Amino acid sequence: MATLGTGGTSKLPEGGSAVSAIVATAIVVADMVGVGVFTSLGFQVKDIPSGFAILLLWTVGGIVALCGVFSYSELGAMFPRSSGEYNFLNRAYHPAFGFLAGWVSATVGFAAPVALAAMAFGQYGKSVLPDAPPLALAIGVVWLVSLVQLGGVRHSSTFQLISTVLKVALIVAFLIAGFVIGTPQPVSFTPQFSDFTHVTSAPFAIGLVFVMYSFSGWNAATYIIGEMRTPQQNLPRALLAGTLIVLVLYVALNAVFLYTTPVDKLSGQLDVARISGSHIFGEIGGRIVGAMICIGLVSSISAMMWIGPRVMMTMGEDIPALRVFARKSSNGAPVHAILFQLAVASLMLFTRSFEAVLDFIQFGLLFCSFFTVFGVIKLRITRPELPRPYRAWGYPITPVVFLLVTGFMMYYLLIDRPLQSFLGILIMISGLVIYAIFHKRADISPATASPSRE
C-alpha cells in the first residue's frame, strides 16, 4: 500500500486485481483517440495548405501534451490517489480548489464527452447499419460499456485492452492501405521556404488550439492511480507511452489523408476520414472508415466510463454527504458512481444538451489543467522536501511550455467564446458554493488537507 500522508491510502481493488502499465497505457490511448483527428484536417488545410506545416502542427500538439505528461507524472508519483485534478489541486493548493475540479469532472466533465462520443458512434454506425436510429445506437453502446464497468476492474481491464488494441490495429491497417494502394497526391512533407510563413501565422496558432483538444486525454491514467500496480513507476510509463503512441498515429493519419486525397477535396470538410477512405477503397471506403471509427469509439467510451466515476468515488471517500458514491461492489466497481455518470450521460443524449455543455466546460477543464501543472512549480518552491519518486523531465522548461500554450488556449476561448467561457466559470463557482455548504456543515473530511498544512 502506498502511504499518502493525510491524503489516505491507495487501495488495490478487492479480489487482488490491479491495473497493469499496459492497461493504463490502453486507457490513455483510448481516451485520446476519438473523432477529433478524423475531422480536424479539413479546416486546417483551408488556411494552411502545406503538408509539412500540417504535420508540424500535430507534432507540436503532441510535444505540448508530453510537457503536461511530465508534470502530471511527478504529481501522480508524489500523491498516488485516483481522481486526477481533484487529488492534485487538493494537495498542491487547497481542498476547495480540488473540490472545484472534482465537481466539474464528476458532474459533466466526463458525462458530456461520453455523450458526444456515443452520438458520434450512432452517426458513424449508420454507415454500417443504415436502418438503425443513431440515438438508439448511442444509448445502447453507453449502457453496454457501463455493464462491463459494473463487472469490476478485472473485466474492465480485459475489455479496455482488447478494444484499444483492436482500435490501434485498425488504424494501422488503414495507414498501411493508404500508403500502399492509395493514389499519391502532389503534396510535400519536406520543409519549404514558404512554410515559415504558415508556421508563424495566426491560423497555425489557432489550429494548435483544436489540435490540443484532439490530444486531450493524455492524463487519463491519473484518474485510476489508486487501482494501478506500483503507480510511482507505472503511471509515468503509461502516460508517456500512451501519448507517444497517439502522437505517431495522429501524424501518420494526417499524412495519409494528405497523401491519398486532393487538398481541394479536403478543404472545409468535416468528414475527412470518409473522403480519404473513398479515395483509398473506392465506394465501400465510407463504410470501412465508419466501422473503424465506431470500433474506436467503443474503447473511448469505455475509458471515460471507467475513469470518470473514480472522481466521484474519491470525493465520496472525503465528503460524508457523498459517501454513497465511495461504496464498491465485491469486485471493486464503484457502482453508484458509475450509475450516476451513466444517468447524466443518458440524460444528455436524450436532451441533446451535451453539445452546449461541452462548450461550457472547455474553459474550466483548461483552467484546472493549467493550475495542476503550475502546482508542480509551486510545490518545488514551497515543499522541496516532499518525496518525488519521479521528477518532471525538462523542468522548468516543460511545465512553462505547457502553461504558455494552455494560457493561450484560455485567452482564445475568452475572446472567441466569451459567453460559453463565462458560463463555464459559473459552473466552477457553483462548485465552490457547494464546497462552502459542505464545509460549513463540517462535511469535509481531514483527508482532503493539502500538504502545505500537514
Side-chain angles (χ1 to χ4, degrees):
M1 251 180 226
T3 302
L4 304 183
T6 58
T9 57
S10 178
K11 295 182 180 179
L12 295 181
E14 295 182 31
S17 176
V19 178
S20 66
I22 294 176
V23 173
T25 301
I27 289 174
V28 174
V29 173
D31 196 32
M32 291 176 75
V33 183
V35 295
V37 69
F38 298 108
T39 57
S40 301
L41 181 62
F43 302 99
Q44 292 164 357
V45 295
K46 199 173 180 182
D47 298 310
I48 312 173
S50 161
F52 171 79
I54 291 293
L55 297 192
L56 180 63
L57 177 66
W58 286 89
T59 302
V60 170
I63 291 172
V64 174
L66 287 171
C67 290
V69 161
F70 300 135
S71 289
Y72 270 62
S73 294
E74 177 169 319
L75 290 174
M78 290 172 68
F79 311 122
R81 192 184 188 206
S82 297
S83 69
E85 287 83 7
Y86 168 74
N87 175 39
F88 298 150
L89 295 175
N90 185 357
R91 303 301 300 273
Y93 299 97
H94 189 276
F97 204 166
F99 185 89
L100 180 152
W103 170 252
V104 174
S105 294
T107 53
V108 295
F110 282 99
V114 164
L116 175 66
M119 187 52 72
F121 176 89
Q123 294 295 340
Y124 281 103
K126 289 171 60 179
S127 64
V128 183
L129 301 170
D131 298 328
L135 181 59
L137 290 173
I139 294 291
V141 71
V142 174
W143 279 73
L144 175 64
V145 167
S146 298
L147 287 175
V148 175
Q149 299 303 327
L150 289 169
V153 175
R154 192 184 302 275
H155 290 104
S156 299
S157 296
T158 302
F159 183 83
Q160 191 65 61
L161 186 59
I162 292 174
S163 61
T164 305
V165 168
L166 182 58
K167 172 186 202 167
V168 173
L170 288 173
I171 292 176
V172 171
F174 177 81
L175 293 172
I176 294 172
F179 287 118
V180 172
I181 66 175
T183 303
Q185 301 299 313
V187 60
S188 173
F189 296 122
T190 57
Q192 309 291 328
F193 182 77
S194 58
D195 289 330
F196 179 78
T197 304
H198 296 305
V199 172
T200 56
S201 66
F204 190 90
I206 294 171
L208 183 59
V209 172
F210 296 98
V211 166
M212 289 306 301
Y213 288 144
S214 295
F215 273 101
S216 62
W218 51 263
N219 59 342
T222 63
Y223 292 91
I224 58 161
I225 302 175
E227 296 173 349
M228 293 178 65
R229 297 187 195 125
T230 57
Q232 288 87 351
Q233 292 81 38
N234 286 338
L235 176 70
R237 292 170 184 167
L239 294 179
L240 179 60
T243 305
L244 285 173
I245 290 170
V246 173
L247 170 56
V248 172
L249 290 179
Y250 279 3
V251 172
L253 276 169
N254 282 279
V256 84
F257 293 157
L258 293 169
Y259 179 79
T260 59
T261 313
V263 172
D264 63 311
K265 299 292 184 183
L266 297 172
S267 181
Q269 299 300 311
L270 184 66
D271 52 349
V272 292
R274 183 193 62 79
I275 295 170
S276 179
S278 65
H279 279 77
I280 298 171
F281 302 106
E283 293 182 3
I284 64 168
R287 182 165 295 187
I288 292 173
V289 169
M292 178 183 74
I293 294 177
C294 278
I295 293 172
L297 286 170
V298 171
S299 71
S300 297
I301 295 168
S302 173
M304 290 184 283
M305 286 303 301
W306 184 347
I307 64 181
R310 269 55 183 182
V311 180
M312 186 67 87
M313 177 193 75
T314 306
M315 293 173 71
E317 294 171 357
D318 296 338
I319 303 168
L322 303 176
R323 189 61 48 83
V324 65
F325 295 110
R327 295 176 186 168
K328 294 182 182 180
S329 64
S330 59
N331 50 32
V335 175
H336 294 96
I338 293 172
L339 292 176
F340 176 79
Q341 181 164 301
L342 172 61
V344 176
S346 299
L347 179 63
M348 288 183 177
L349 280 170
F350 281 117
T351 60
R352 294 300 297 264
S353 61
F354 61 88
E355 294 170 327
V357 172
L358 281 168
D359 277 344
F360 299 160
I361 64 174
Q362 292 295 347
F363 183 86
L365 296 178
L366 288 171
F367 182 86
C368 293
S369 293
F370 180 94
F371 280 98
T372 297
V373 172
F374 187 76
V376 173
I377 299 174
K378 175 183 179 294
L379 290 177
R380 286 279 189 107
I381 297 171
T382 60
R383 298 301 303 275
E385 79 285 358
L386 286 175
R388 289 173 171 81
Y390 173 89
R391 299 177 74 89
W393 184 87
Y395 179 91
I397 296 174
T398 50
V400 168
V401 168
F402 182 87
L403 292 173
L404 288 174
V405 174
T406 307
F408 170 74
M409 292 171 69
M410 289 193 292
Y411 170 78
Y412 173 80
L413 284 177
L414 285 171
I415 299 301
D416 189 64
R417 300 179 182 178
L419 177 60
Q420 292 91 333
S421 299
F422 175 71
L423 292 173
I425 293 171
L426 287 182
I427 291 176
M428 291 191 290
I429 292 175
S430 70
L432 290 178
V433 172
I434 293 173
Y435 174 85
I437 293 172
F438 285 151
H439 188 70
K440 187 175 181 180
R441 292 170 48 193
D443 273 348
I444 301 294
S445 164
T448 59
S450 70
S452 62
R453 287 180 298 284
E454 288 177 9

